Amino acid sequence: MSNKFIGKSVKRVEDKRFITGRGRYTDDIVLPGMTYAYILRSPYAHARIKSIDTSAAEAMEGVVTIMTGEEVGHYGVPCGWQVNFKNGDTMKEPPHPLLVKDKVRHVGDAVAMVVAESRELAQDAAEAIIIDYEVLPAVIDASKAVEEGAPLVHEDVPNNICFDWEIGNPKEEVDAAMASASHITTLEFVNQRLAPNAMEPRSYIGQYDSVYDKYTLYTSTQNPHLIRLLMCAFVLGLPEHKVRVVGPDVGGGFGSKIYHYTEEALVTLASKKIGRPVKWTETRSEAFLTDAHGRDHVTKAEMGFDADGKIVGLRIKTFANLGAYLSTFSTAVPTYLHGTLLQGLYTTPKIHLDMTCVFTNTTAVDAYRGAGRPEATYLLERLLDLSALEMGVDPTELRLKNFIPAFDGVTQPGYQTNVALQYDSGNYHGVLQRGLEMLGYEDFRKAQAEAATTNKLLGVGFSTYIEACGIAPSAVVGSLGARAGLYEVGQVRVQPTGKVSVFTGAHSHGQGHETTFAQVVADRLGIPMEDVDIVHGDSDTVAFGMGTYGSRSLAVGGSAIVKSLDKIIEKGAKIAAHKLECSVDDIEFIDGKFTVKGTDKSLGFGDIALTAYVPHVYPANLEPGLDFSSFYDPTNFTYPFGCHIAVVEVDKETGTTKIKRFIAVDDVGNVINPMIVDGQIHGGLAQGIGQALFEGVEYDENGQIINASYMDYTMPRADDFPMFELDRQVTPCPHNPLGVKGAGEAGCIGSTPAVTNAVIDALWSVGHKVKDIRMPLTSERVWRAMQS
Amino acid sequence: MPKITVTVNGTSHTSEVEGRLLLVHYLRDTLHLTGTHVGCDTSSCGACTIHLDGKAVKSCSMLAAQADGSTITTIEGLATGNELHPLQEGFKEEHGLQCGFCTPGMIMCAADLLSHNPNPSEQEIREGLEGNICRCTGYHNIVRAIQYAANKSLVVSE
């Protein structure tokens, strides 16, 4: 153990290839004899396919093969999480075929795949395919899809309901608590649908080698092993040892690249069929139609308070839109990743969520950065600030009055919520108080009062959030319907010279694992960072893995590596004791040396490594070699939390909102690399603020996305933000060896309600007592709110 | 098919290209310079930004045939031997990249900005990046990376 790297802002080792243009993303890969696929998609949201004629297309120049639902429609991609109805019935799980042959269910549903000698020739041929559609009425809005007489997305799913679900205290108890309240704040709102928009469009290459009877899939994925497992065991029935899945450099994911997509199986099948590699890369417009979206909740929430301002109850009804098909983790998001976070940071004694999850003629919805926790946080934090306005009390005092008291999870127990989870450790007052110091709260209120007399109104919005990362343990999530384990794998292979190769099942697509993980390994072994190589993303080199999502990589994947490092050091100590002729109990490992306690007799890590591989002077009954693999299955989630404060300026005449300041005090447990953690927070803030002010997938009544391009879907740009003001509090996670909690999603979870709250606060400062403005808070919507 | 001659990163290339071939696809598919990326199909994201005759252009918004006779620099040609360009160094030092996909376009755009305005204010940098989208960094450290490069270049030129 040494302390040279952990806690330091070490510059990233992966940067060189990206800043010199030598990154290797899937679409950069060219294989000998490669062909190119184009997928013909439905232009209608809901239509019956009466006929498909591919004959003209098949005769065109450069066409190698054309596949339709007739050939591959019996294959379909699975859902990875089973949730049951309140009455115990299994959720409705209609098939999601690779190519549709009977009925298309959303704009972009895949109907045929053309494989040709070039991308352009494939697209040319696709235009010559004739499909006769009978257009059917479509249903887009989740709350309308459940009404009697609504079009059915799947004929065998009554009222389009995939399942209904509830969590919390018994409904009667919550009703009684609400009846006793002296004030109830009611908020009806939409948490709008978002497009994740990782900058790299999805790209896949299927390659079948007939000599070795082996498949390789290159894929822009967040979890190569999971894709292999799903595709082999649940879709195509291929033997896993004959399938290699590689996730090379991946240009961002934010959840959208977790899932097993139909096109991964299609290029794999097509490659086998034609005996040549097949590449498919989506266009951005295609990404809007087919990459799983996020959010899309319609909610009515009520929060009750007693006369002292203590929360007495929380009652919620939400419709969650799942889209036309079940994406891999879609069913877990509105339920176990959302309902379980409704305690927030508060001692609310009675909570009930009634959730209905619904099919519509829209793109599938799944986890997008935060995945359920942003929806829970938005609900709670909007209610807190709005309640303060309605009751005429300060929003920060209202929070302080209702916060769960600090607990470390070691000398004090974890906090048992009313919605299943047990928080690990927390100090919620601390982050709010630090945020208020940074804001200069009293001065702000004075400035706000002055601004109220001008055309540039000021508002402040608060959000004190909690989230849950590193979803686990496997046995618990299995009992809740997960169809996979949620451990991680970390292998540490010490080479004979003492250099170290680490194989992790986590996958880095921007998070900087090659740096952070190497910092941990170098410090634990007392060796230089350049002696450590982090290998990820290839199922042929990494034993197994569950991948990267839910801010789990360091908390779960890092812990698996630490387990293996512990085994390395334990074995090293035995070898050292033998060579130094002492008891193993007398060996201590400090700064890369195995030393006999209280003496100057020691052996370096490199000496021990060499001895392990050249075991001439070696303990009896000890295997040679220094190479361990570990599975780490956490005992609990981790629970980062924090305080986000937005200060906005609202133009009274135009409704235009400008972020003047954004303060974020986050507690993500111990921090290995502050620079990287800050970077994760920055990016999360941009996406969270993006939801509040700019973003939203808009459907028309026919199911067409009317903003399915970067020309039309407003992405945050550099001049939309000020410099973010960050600080950190550290409350270590008590149940993993690194004490880390996860930082990938926190920025996106906390920030959104802070912005909306700030705009509402600005409006109330001049007497516009509006409860809600629908996100994104465009200038038009804010302006209209001020006219009401 | 049109025949074009272009000088890319100091090397002359003569190719027959399909009339509809975009410059970005010529660079990526014909010359195998895959550091220039395609992030959208509406000229909105800037991941494909290169320098054409010394000016930043989005290589998805012109045909390869239109580039005939021009001199092009891509991200692969920005460093001088093993010595990184100050912007490349700045992006590393200030953690101006995460997934790296937008990074080449960001750097090429910023290089053009600094060539016109060697000492830009924060607001000028932010406005200069209007045509480039990053989904990872929130732009915070990209702005710092460009400030780093500007400061370093000023010191060098003094």
Side-chain angles (χ1 to χ4, degrees):
Chain A
M1 208 46 190
S2 65
N3 209 9
K4 283 187 185 156
F5 305 111
I6 289 180
K8 307 274 192 329
S9 289
V10 176
K11 307 302 177 199
R12 298 204 320 172
V13 298
E14 48 270 84
D15 281 354
K16 189 168 184 188
R17 64 181 186 269
F18 297 122
I19 56 179
T20 56
R22 269 75 172 184
R24 190 167 180 259
Y25 304 88
T26 301
D27 193 55
D28 299 340
I29 297 169
V30 178
L31 300 174
M34 196 162 78
T35 61
Y36 298 84
Y38 180 85
I39 293 175
L40 185 62
R41 299 184 180 281
S42 169
Y44 303 111
H46 198 190
R48 208 165 296 286
I49 298 173
K50 295 169 80 176
S51 66
I52 302 177
D53 182 356
T54 60
S55 54
E58 274 165 27
M60 286 175 66
E61 178 201 351
V63 173
V64 181
T65 190
I66 296 177
M67 296 163 89
T68 64
E70 203 59 47
E71 182 177 352
V72 299
H74 56 291
Y75 294 114
V77 290
C79 179
W81 200 299
Q82 179 185 317
V83 181
N84 294 336
F85 279 83
K86 287 178 193 169
N87 68 8
D89 287 355
T90 306
M91 70 180 188
K92 301 293 183 185
E93 199 172 354
H96 182 185
L98 301 188
L99 293 170
V100 176
K101 60 180 170 185
D102 51 357
K103 189 174 93 160
V104 290
R105 293 179 171 84
H106 69 95
V107 173
D109 214 351
V111 180
M113 183 169 86
V114 181
V115 179
E117 299 294 342
S118 77
R119 186 175 37 227
E120 291 79 10
L121 291 171
Q123 188 168 358
D124 289 347
E127 285 173 15
I129 296 176
I130 297 162
I131 302 174
D132 189 5
Y133 288 106
E134 177 193 343
V135 179
L136 302 168
V139 62
I140 311 305
D141 185 298
S143 58
K144 292 190 180 132
V146 299
E147 291 173 1
E148 287 304 322
L152 290 180
V153 181
H154 301 276
E155 273 73 11
D156 52 353
V157 180
N159 301 102
N160 294 308
I161 296 175
C162 180
F163 59 88
D164 59 19
W165 186 82
E166 62 185 337
I167 193 168
N169 305 91
K171 177 77 165 37
E172 314 78 67
E173 292 181 16
V174 179
D175 289 343
M178 297 302 279
S180 76
S182 65
H183 176 86
I184 294 178
T185 303
T186 304
L187 187 61
E188 293 185 55
F189 66 99
V190 171
N191 199 306
Q192 86 274 30
R193 181 182 282 245
L194 301 173
N197 277 319
M199 290 310 296
E200 179 208 18
R202 288 189 294 125
S203 180
Y204 308 128
I205 304 171
Q207 181 186 29
Y208 176 70
D209 183 330
S210 61
V211 176
Y212 292 93
D213 186 29
K214 182 147 187 181
Y215 300 81
T216 301
L217 171 68
Y218 296 90
T219 164
S220 50
T221 185
Q222 300 177 216
N223 29 233
H225 294 85
L226 194 62
I227 300 306
R228 187 179 64 160
L229 175 65
L230 291 171
M231 188 171 80
C232 291
F234 298 99
V235 183
L236 299 181
L238 298 174
E240 270 186 279
H241 67 299
K242 291 288 189 185
V243 178
R244 175 187 178 206
V245 176
V246 184
D249 287 330
V250 173
F254 315 113
S256 69
K257 293 171 181 168
I258 298 172
Y259 324 116
H260 181 32
Y261 285 94
T262 52
E263 295 89 354
E264 292 173 308
L266 280 170
V267 297
T268 302
L269 279 177
S271 175
K272 171 83 183 289
K273 180 180 178 185
I274 67 171
R276 293 169 63 184
V278 179
K279 179 195 275 187
W280 172 81
T281 301
E282 69 183 355
T283 64
R284 179 57 58 186
S285 302
E286 215 172 3
F288 274 98
L289 303 180
T290 61
D291 293 12
H293 292 161
R295 321 282 190 257
D296 206 342
H297 285 193
V298 179
T299 295
K300 180 182 179 185
E302 300 161 284
M303 185 174 267
F305 295 84
D306 69 14
D308 292 330
K310 289 281 280 185
I311 304 170
V312 296
L314 176 64
R315 185 167 54 196
I316 304 153
K317 171 64 204 173
T318 290
F319 292 92
N321 193 338
L322 300 180
Y325 300 106
L326 294 182
S327 177
T328 311
F329 290 115
S330 56
T331 50
V333 178
T335 53
Y336 294 104
L337 296 174
H338 166 253
T340 52
L341 270 298
L342 290 167
Q343 188 82 47
L345 299 182
Y346 312 107
T347 55
T348 312
K350 301 291 176 190
I351 302 169
H352 185 265
L353 166 68
D354 180 0
M355 172 64 79
T356 306
C357 291
V358 177
F359 291 110
T360 61
N361 294 113
T362 62
T363 299
V365 178
D366 207 320
Y368 162 60
R369 201 168 195 171
R373 294 99 89 203
E375 295 91 313
T377 302
Y378 193 77
L379 184 159
L380 288 169
E381 297 307 304
R382 283 292 342 273
L383 278 172
L384 260 292
D385 267 28
L386 181 62
S387 299
L389 288 168
E390 288 189 356
M391 294 191 288
V393 301
D394 185 273
T396 63
E397 284 170 16
L398 188 63
R399 283 180 173 79
L400 290 168
K401 190 176 281 183
N402 284 286
F403 274 162
I404 295 162
F407 60 104
D408 63 13
V410 181
T411 60
Q412 297 137 318
Y415 183 84
Q416 181 60 50
T417 71
N418 292 309
V419 279
L421 301 180
Q422 189 184 63
Y423 296 163
D424 54 354
S425 59
N427 172 7
Y428 310 133
H429 294 72
V431 287
L432 176 56
Q433 276 154 359
R434 178 67 191 124
L436 292 176
E437 283 168 25
M438 290 167 72
L439 172 65
Y441 192 29
E442 286 181 21
D443 290 346
F444 170 79
R445 287 298 184 194
K446 284 179 202 153
Q448 181 181 34
E450 286 167 22
T453 62
T454 73
N455 278 334
K456 304 277 188 187
L457 308 178
L458 284 177
V460 65
F462 298 91
S463 167
T464 47
Y465 72 90
I466 186 162
E467 60 133 336
C469 302
I471 178 170
S474 296
V476 172
V477 295
S479 73
L480 302 178
R483 290 166 170 166
L486 285 158
Y487 48 81
E488 195 46 87
V489 183
Q491 182 182 6
V492 179
R493 177 179 299 159
V494 182
Q495 310 288 358
T497 55
K499 312 296 183 197
V500 177
S501 303
V502 177
F503 304 86
T504 173
H507 183 280
S508 185
H509 31 279
Q511 295 87 344
H513 298 165
E514 292 168 43
T515 306
T516 313
F517 289 6
Q519 288 177 253
V520 171
V521 173
D523 264 0
R524 288 262 165 171
L525 297 180
I527 58 177
M529 267 184 72
E530 50 268 31
D531 285 2
V532 182
D533 191 26
I534 305 294
V535 181
H536 64 96
D538 186 338
S539 69
D540 264 13
T541 51
V542 179
F544 198 67
M546 298 308 297
T548 286
Y549 42 83
S551 305
R552 70 193 300 272
S553 297
L554 192 59
V556 189
S559 297
I561 293 169
V562 169
K563 265 184 91 171
S564 288
L565 293 170
D566 289 345
K567 293 175 190 173
I568 297 278
I569 294 165
E570 187 187 341
K571 185 171 180 180
K574 287 179 189 167
I575 300 169
H578 182 82
K579 291 192 81 171
L580 294 166
E581 297 178 335
C582 68
S583 159
V584 72
D585 297 334
D586 291 334
I587 296 287
E588 57 186 0
F589 183 62
I590 298 170
D591 282 341
K593 284 181 181 166
F594 293 93
T595 304
V596 183
K597 286 177 196 163
T599 75
D600 59 357
K601 284 170 65 179
S602 69
L603 285 168
F605 181 71
D607 293 330
I608 295 301
L610 190 62
T611 305
Y613 287 92
V614 188
H616 297 165
V617 181
Y618 205 70
N621 306 319
L622 190 67
E623 285 180 25
L626 206 50
D627 185 342
F628 286 102
S629 186
S630 304
F631 284 59
Y632 178 77
D633 199 341
T635 56
N636 193 359
F637 292 79
T638 65
Y639 298 92
F641 56 92
C643 170
H644 289 186
I645 303 173
V647 175
V648 300
E649 181 186 272
V650 176
D651 189 308
K652 209 168 156 183
E653 295 190 330
T654 65
T656 304
T657 299
K658 192 172 170 56
I659 302 282
K660 298 289 285 180
R661 296 178 68 190
F662 201 98
I663 295 162
V665 183
D666 298 286
D667 190 328
V668 298
N670 288 340
V671 168
I672 305 298
N673 187 319
M675 176 190 82
I676 287 178
V677 167
D678 285 351
Q680 290 293 310
I681 300 291
H682 293 154
L685 294 180
Q687 286 179 354
I689 298 168
Q691 173 172 18
L693 292 184
F694 308 116
E695 300 185 38
V697 175
E698 300 287 344
Y699 279 93
D700 71 9
E701 68 278 11
N702 298 318
Q704 298 289 344
I705 302 179
I706 58 173
N707 58 346
S709 83
Y710 278 178
M711 292 278 259
D712 304 292
Y713 183 99
T714 311
M715 296 277 283
R717 293 183 186 256
D719 54 359
D720 291 319
F721 301 124
M723 290 308 233
F724 302 122
E725 300 169 52
L726 266 51
D727 199 4
R728 202 168 1 261
Q729 176 184 283
V730 175
T731 308
C733 173
H735 62 76
N736 68 45
L738 293 167
V740 298
K741 292 191 170 185
E745 294 159 293
C748 195
I749 290 167
S751 54
T752 311
V755 176
T756 304
N757 285 341
V759 174
I760 299 284
D761 181 61
L763 268 53
W764 278 60
S765 76
V766 289
H768 297 299
K769 297 189 172 181
V770 296
K771 288 164 85 86
D772 185 47
I773 304 173
R774 185 171 170 159
M775 295 188 290
L777 276 64
T778 59
S779 50
E780 181 190 344
R781 286 177 180 168
V782 175
W783 183 84
R784 285 189 188 284
M786 287 192 284
Q787 311 312 308
S788 60
Chain B
M1 288 206 291
K3 192 174 185 181
I4 63 168
T5 298
V6 289
T7 301
V8 182
N9 301 332
T11 306
S12 178
H13 300 271
T14 299
S15 314
E16 284 191 353
V17 296
E18 212 181 331
R20 62 177 169 177
L21 185 71
L22 294 173
L23 179 57
V24 65
H25 289 137
Y26 175 72
L27 294 170
R28 288 179 54 80
D29 300 342
T30 307
L31 303 186
H32 304 297
L33 292 168
T34 55
T36 302
H37 297 147
V38 180
C40 74
D41 41 21
T42 48
S43 307
S44 310
C45 80
C48 65
T49 306
I50 58 155
H51 292 179
L52 184 101
D53 295 329
K55 286 186 183 161
V57 300
K58 292 179 177 178
S59 61
C60 74
S61 62
M62 64 184 288
L63 299 168
Q66 291 174 292
D68 186 27
S70 61
T71 298
I72 290 169
T73 306
T74 69
I75 187 70
E76 290 92 341
L78 197 61
T80 309
N82 286 327
E83 192 185 335
L84 293 176
H85 185 280
L87 275 162
Q88 291 171 313
E89 191 182 310
F91 271 69
K92 182 176 171 70
E93 289 298 314
E94 297 293 342
H95 190 31
L97 66 149
Q98 291 180 26
C99 82
F101 196 80
C102 78
T103 310
M106 283 285 177
I107 290 176
M108 298 311 284
C109 171
D112 187 58
L113 170 71
L114 292 185
S115 74
H116 294 107
N117 183 356
N119 191 20
S121 67
E122 181 197 330
Q123 191 56 31
E124 286 170 332
I125 292 173
R126 290 183 181 275
E127 285 170 9
L129 297 175
E130 253 278 328
N132 292 62
I133 300 177
C134 170
R135 193 59 159 167
C136 293
T137 64
Y139 305 99
H140 187 106
N141 286 343
I142 291 179
V143 173
R144 284 187 170 167
I146 296 168
Q147 288 171 332
Y148 175 101
N151 290 338
K152 182 164 183 182
S153 301
L154 287 176
V155 170
V156 168
S157 62
E158 272 167 10

